[in-house]
Amino acid sequence: MSTGMHYAPEAFVSKACEKGEFPIAAIGLEHGHIFGMCQNLEAAGATVEKAWDKDPKKLAEFKKWFPDATIAANENEILEDSRIKLVATADVPCQRGALGLRVLEHEKDFFTDKAPFTTLDQLAAARKMVKQTGRIWAVCYSERVANESAVFAGQLIEQGAISRVLQVIGLGPHRLGAKTRPAWFFEKQKYGGILTDIGSHQVEQFLYYANAADATVVHSRVANYDHPEFPELEDFGEVNLVADNGAGNYFRVDWFTPDGLRIWGDGRTFILGTKGYIEMRKYIDIARNPDGDHLFLVNEQGEKYFSLKGKVGFPYFTELILDCLNRSQKAMTQQHTFKAAEISLLAQQKAEENW
Amino acid sequence: MSTGMHYAPEAFVSKACEKGEFPIAAIGLEHGHIFGMCQNLEAAGATVEKAWDKDPKKLAEFKKWFPDATIAANENEILEDSRIKLVATADVPCQRGALGLRVLEHEKDFFTDKAPFTTLDQLAAARKMVKQTGRIWAVCYSERVANESAVFAGQLIEQGAISRVLQVIGLGPHRLGAKTRPAWFFEKQKYGGILTDIGSHQVEQFLYYANAADATVVHSRVANYDHPEFPELEDFGEVNLVADNGAGNYFRVDWFTPDGLRIWGDGRTFILGTKGYIEMRKYIDIARNPDGDHLFLVNEQGEKYFSLKGKVGFPYFTELILDCLNRSQKAMTQQHTFKAAEISLLAQQKAEENW
């Protein structure tokens, strides 16, 4: 039984720079996502030089993954190290925004696990800081940028394989694995709610595949269906969006992955176009193939299956380093990054009003 | 390329009665669904004795399917034939309600293709007539009752395979095949709107799988995304429901099945329970198996695939005849039958208010 998620996707990542050209550090190791984030950046050319967390156990674990990294004496040692170009974090979600402000103030770029924010105020402060400093506030929306079927889907759409995108449906089930979770995971104010958290992946995917700049929350709902022992957990959430270009989105996120599934979640994405559709079975093809990265394309030419594991790579991480080095926005625009977070937060807010 | 739908599902249907005990007739042959409806009833023991439609071509086609049936001189010949126990119809949707009233007035049971009604007034009149006459007003929600994976899913849920049902997601894409469609198909007042029409299958499935008596429409939306040549066609519809027992439903229906799909629509149903989930690939397993009736079950015991074609049968049709003979409601309660239609009509109304 696999709990958690792909910490370290195995797909190839091409180098953005020579060794030593892009030193990075990690601050806040609360979620295991930090390993995948740093590993993918390392594969793309970054050097993971330093790490800090208030918990020595987490630092020891980090050292196992990155033996060459040194443990900093405190956060400031990293912030004040002018060699460090980017700080990555998977801190407690409610603390990521404030950390980002400190990182940008110190003239570094910032790369945070999702959810990047737990309140709209944090987002507003981040937008202001980006404007002031010109620095990059990147978010690791890994369910798209670190999944090869998801990357390939973007390429197919760009090639016109399904013509105009009309709708995206996302299913984002996750395994709860309650015993493996830290206390903050069950405290609403700290994790932000299910739509803010795992919902943000879904919003990002929608905006990306539909090539939309903005979207309206037309419906959202959260529930705690079956976990009375964790009163602040939302074990179910759903959102309907309509984008500025007319495309629609529905997604469901939940913590109901059954114990018998061979991976943490049977993530699916269905993209409906005017001339075809795409289905991704991102992490498993149930009852068939326990590996991930399956894509099905149906269009005027017929039905096609693509097994994509190890074949597409994760261009995002390479492009992110290049963006930091070249001050460009090719990996993901800042506007898109923040808009996905904003819509997730608005959907969360609307769902709570309805609850 | 297959247009339309399974007219005559091949699954076995057990006999409800001896030959000649349950004579039926067909009035209104506007949609090819009438063939499957009558064929399944025939397989369950009914004798298709008479047919009438104003169009001689449709009657000639009906005779090909049911050579022993006689062509009636007019509708009244059937209504006044006291031997006929049930009248089946696939008339223009807006006319089905009025026909049902005439059938029940003549002390017969009625079996209509979905959508049974195009307005709430028609539904109210039908409810009143059922109360007055004690007759059965059955609706052929074929996407559940005439699909073996859908029937089997109900059995699994009853056995507790996924514990409590929390949510149902239905995808009901259909091939437009515009050239094969009659004029009424594109006239809103006649077909009733996409949610009223193909959406009614989805509502029925939800109420059934969630074992819910009623549900609230929390969001609905219709669109004509890509068919300006048919201004009254809705080529896209979506609905979110919350049932009286708390279970949720989302469904999408559309007319965007691409030409390259080997069947009329890649219908899917995902049923999320507290201890597992079910996925049905009802009519095809894309890029793998062009036959239908695939079911995937994931629960605490693991991941299982069931190939169900020819293995489950359609108990509905046998039970419907028995209900008519015994005045019972085992195939489907009258309340459930009408409630599915009512919610579809309310969802349609709400979507139009939003449009």
Side-chain angles (χ1 to χ4, degrees), chain A residues 2-15:
Chain A
S2 158
T3 309
M5 50 279 300
H6 291 289
Y7 291 132
E10 290 153 22
F12 66 86
V13 178
S14 60
K15 298 279 180 199

Side-chain angles (χ1 to χ4, degrees), chain A residues 107-120:
Chain A
E107 297 177 352
K108 298 178 196 319
D109 295 315
F110 184 53
F111 184 43
T112 175
D113 186 21
K114 68 73 231 168
F117 312 106
T118 54
T119 69
L120 286 162

Side-chain angles (χ1 to χ4, degrees), chain A residues 61-80:
Chain A
E61 174 73 10
F62 193 85
K63 277 289 277 187
K64 283 189 212 158
W65 286 69
F66 303 97
D68 296 339
T70 60
I71 305 301
N74 50 45
E75 181 185 294
N76 270 344
E77 183 191 322
I78 291 173
L79 294 180
E80 286 163 14

Side-chain angles (χ1 to χ4, degrees), chain B residues 65-135:
Chain B
W65 287 69
F66 304 98
D68 297 338
T70 59
I71 305 303
N74 51 46
E75 182 185 293
N76 269 346
E77 182 191 322
I78 291 173
L79 294 179
E80 286 164 13
D81 182 341
S82 63
R83 293 173 49 261
I84 301 293
K85 298 211 183 296
L86 177 144
V87 171
T89 192
D91 207 344
V92 178
C94 66
Q95 296 172 1
R96 292 170 187 172
L99 174 62
L101 298 177
R102 297 196 295 277
V103 169
L104 267 67
E105 272 175 343
H106 284 83
E107 298 179 351
K108 298 177 194 323
D109 294 317
F110 184 53
F111 184 43
T112 175
D113 186 21
K114 67 77 225 166
F117 311 106
T118 53
T119 70
L120 287 162
D121 285 346
Q122 292 165 15
L123 169 60
R127 279 183 163 139
K128 196 174 158 194
M129 183 60 79
V130 164
K131 212 171 176 183
Q132 277 175 19
T133 61
R135 291 283 150 187

Side-chain angles (χ1 to χ4, degrees), chain A residues 164 166-167 169 171 218-219 221 225-226 235-236 238-242 245-250 252 254 256-263 266 268 270-277 279 281 284-290 294 296-305, chain B residues 164 166-167 169 171 218-219 221 225-226 235-236 238-242 245-250 252 254 256-263 266 268 270-277 279 281 284-290 294 296-305:
Chain A
R164 176 182 161 208
L166 300 177
Q167 197 220 20
I169 292 180
L171 305 187
V218 292
H219 167 69
R221 183 167 73 90
Y225 272 122
D226 201 43
D235 57 22
F236 178 96
E238 67 174 0
V239 173
N240 299 59
L241 304 175
V242 177
N245 62 10
N249 178 227
Y250 171 78
R252 181 191 87 201
D254 67 77
F256 285 106
T257 289
D259 287 348
L261 190 77
R262 290 172 287 172
I263 189 75
D266 181 9
R268 305 277 186 107
F270 296 86
I271 308 177
L272 178 67
T274 49
K275 300 283 183 196
Y277 64 95
E279 176 185 356
R281 300 180 192 157
I284 189 166
D285 188 7
I286 47 168
R288 285 201 174 113
N289 187 335
H294 310 274
F296 297 78
L297 169 66
V298 184
N299 60 15
E300 289 170 314
Q301 277 75 57
E303 305 161 19
K304 271 188 214 165
Y305 164 64
Chain B
R164 176 183 161 208
L166 300 177
Q167 197 220 21
I169 293 180
L171 305 187
V218 293
H219 167 68
R221 182 167 73 91
Y225 271 123
D226 201 42
D235 58 22
F236 178 96
E238 66 173 0
V239 173
N240 299 60
L241 303 175
V242 178
N245 62 11
N249 177 226
Y250 171 78
R252 181 192 86 202
D254 68 76
F256 284 106
T257 289
D259 287 348
L261 190 76
R262 289 172 288 172
I263 189 73
D266 182 9
R268 305 279 185 106
F270 296 86
I271 308 177
L272 179 68
T274 50
K275 299 284 184 197
Y277 65 95
E279 176 186 357
R281 300 179 194 159
I284 190 166
D285 189 7
I286 47 167
R288 286 199 174 117
N289 186 335
H294 309 274
F296 297 79
L297 169 68
V298 184
N299 60 16
E300 290 170 314
Q301 277 74 56
E303 305 160 20
K304 270 188 214 164
Y305 164 63

Side-chain angles (χ1 to χ4, degrees), chain A residues 38-49:
Chain A
C38 289
Q39 208 174 46
N40 278 313
L41 284 176
E42 195 177 53
T47 324
V48 182
E49 298 215 345

Side-chain angles (χ1 to χ4, degrees), chain A residues 161-329:
Chain A
I162 60 169
S163 197
R164 176 182 161 208
V165 170
L166 300 177
Q167 197 220 20
V168 178
I169 292 180
L171 305 187
H174 286 63
R175 175 166 288 133
L176 182 57
K179 287 177 190 164
T180 69
R181 301 289 182 179
W184 59 259
F185 183 89
F186 301 100
E187 294 172 46
K188 179 71 187 298
Q189 181 269 331
K190 291 186 179 165
Y191 80 91
I194 193 170
L195 301 180
T196 297
D197 180 19
I198 53 179
S200 63
H201 286 297
Q202 300 288 339
V203 176
E204 193 282 326
Q205 285 173 77
F206 169 55
L207 295 177
Y208 176 75
Y209 292 128
N211 194 24
D214 203 349
T216 304
V217 181
V218 292
H219 167 69
S220 67
R221 183 167 73 90
V222 294
N224 181 334
Y225 272 122
D226 201 43
H227 295 90
E229 70 275 33
F230 303 117
E232 294 188 32
L233 177 74
E234 296 164 348
D235 57 22
F236 178 96
E238 67 174 0
V239 173
N240 299 59
L241 304 175
V242 177
D244 50 3
N245 62 10
N249 178 227
Y250 171 78
F251 68 81
R252 181 191 87 201
V253 283
D254 67 77
W255 293 103
F256 285 106
T257 289
D259 287 348
L261 190 77
R262 290 172 287 172
I263 189 75
W264 58 269
D266 181 9
R268 305 277 186 107
T269 312
F270 296 86
I271 308 177
L272 178 67
T274 49
K275 300 283 183 196
Y277 64 95
I278 288 167
E279 176 185 356
M280 292 168 240
R281 300 180 192 157
K282 294 170 111 176
Y283 309 111
I284 189 166
D285 188 7
I286 47 168
R288 285 201 174 113
N289 187 335
D291 281 338
D293 301 291
H294 310 274
L295 187 143
F296 297 78
L297 169 66
V298 184
N299 60 15
E300 289 170 314
Q301 277 75 57
E303 305 161 19
K304 271 188 214 165
Y305 164 64
F306 298 88
S307 174
L308 298 164
K309 197 174 175 65
K311 295 183 187 157
V312 182
F314 300 156
Y316 172 81
F317 299 92
T318 308
E319 288 167 354
L320 177 58
I321 295 177
L322 289 171
D323 283 349
C324 295
L325 293 172
N326 304 334
R327 312 317 297 162
S328 54
Q329 297 195 27

